[in-house]
Amino acid sequence: MPKNPTRPRRVADQIQRELAELLQLELKDPRVGMVTVTEVEVTSDYSHAKVFFTRLDQNHPLEETRLGLERAAGYLRSQLAKR
């Protein structure tokens, strides 16, 4: 039985939508600021996802945003697992 080649893309799209919602509604870290998830890449075994983002507020330091997202990674991962 052949594997479905579109499934990793669909999973990545779902992760992108869920992360966008989590960042907008539930993440309260002021270091993150206004962030948009631009793309998600998922490995073929779904064990890892690489998330790309951009900032809407260019006055907010990029390093501070990155640190805020790294700090929130565990929380975001657990919330994604629940969804």
Side-chain angles (χ1 to χ4, degrees):
M1 178 182 258
K3 291 185 178 181
N4 187 349
T6 61
R7 188 158 191 259
R9 183 72 251 156
R10 289 193 329 255
V11 170
D13 289 343
Q14 184 66 33
I15 290 172
Q16 184 174 350
R17 284 190 296 274
E18 296 292 341
L19 272 178
E21 185 177 324
L22 285 169
L23 289 171
Q24 180 183 10
L25 300 176
E26 295 188 26
L27 193 64
K28 304 298 183 204
D29 191 336
R31 294 177 294 182
V32 174
M34 294 188 298
V35 172
T36 300
V37 179
T38 57
E39 186 178 355
V40 176
E41 293 177 358
V42 179
T43 59
S44 60
D45 63 353
Y46 309 111
S47 63
H48 291 84
K50 188 183 292 188
V51 178
F52 298 91
F53 69 94
T54 186
R55 297 171 298 138
L56 297 175
D57 182 10
Q58 296 301 322
N59 296 329
H60 201 75
L62 177 62
E63 185 65 19
E64 192 172 311
T65 301
R66 186 184 62 77
L67 289 174
L69 288 172
E70 284 181 2
R71 176 85 169 140
Y75 169 75
L76 294 171
R77 225 179 271 121
S78 69
Q79 292 302 309
L80 279 174
K82 290 178 185 177
R83 292 174 179 220

